[in-house]
Amino acid sequence: MAFEETPAERREVTVRRAPKYVPFLILGAMVGIVAAAVVAYAVPGDATFDPGSVFGFFLIMFAAIGAILGAALALVLDRLSVRRQQRAVVEAVPDSEPDTDPQG
């Protein structure tokens, strides 16, 4: 069974490594949670406030700030990846055998 060979199609593409934003947001929030725990439990404070309620207050604030800083870091790294992008030429390679599987 013979099949026709088509000439390979060549394209120029841009290749770059961009960061994923969600891991940066999660890591920033986790660093904020650790910072809130340090502030609430390690730093001596007013005895009239329960350390758990102080932790809860700072948890919301520091986690949000950490997520924002993580997003800012991801944006900076994304801009750096745009500067370091490279151009490449890709070529479509035809299959060596035609598909005969009826389910595929």
Side-chain angles (χ1 to χ4, degrees):
M1 177 181 266
F3 60 94
E4 297 179 23
E5 283 197 31
T6 58
E9 180 184 349
R10 297 175 66 100
R11 284 182 161 175
E12 189 171 320
V13 296
T14 302
V15 180
R16 71 183 180 107
R17 294 186 61 175
K20 296 184 180 191
Y21 288 89
V22 173
F24 279 91
L25 291 169
I26 292 171
L27 183 64
M30 290 175 61
V31 169
I33 291 169
V34 170
V38 168
V39 169
Y41 294 111
V43 177
D46 193 357
T48 59
F49 294 111
D50 179 43
S53 62
V54 172
F55 174 68
F57 175 75
F58 282 124
L59 174 73
I60 302 297
M61 189 169 50
F62 284 13
I65 291 171
I68 290 169
L69 291 176
L73 179 62
L75 283 172
V76 168
L77 292 176
D78 188 38
R79 292 295 170 214
L80 290 175
S81 73
V82 169
R83 289 185 193 162
R84 294 182 183 172
Q85 69 186 6
Q86 296 178 349
R87 307 288 286 171
V89 176
V90 295
E91 187 174 298
V93 178
D95 291 340
S96 59
E97 295 180 15
D99 289 337
T100 58
D101 186 18
Q103 294 179 353

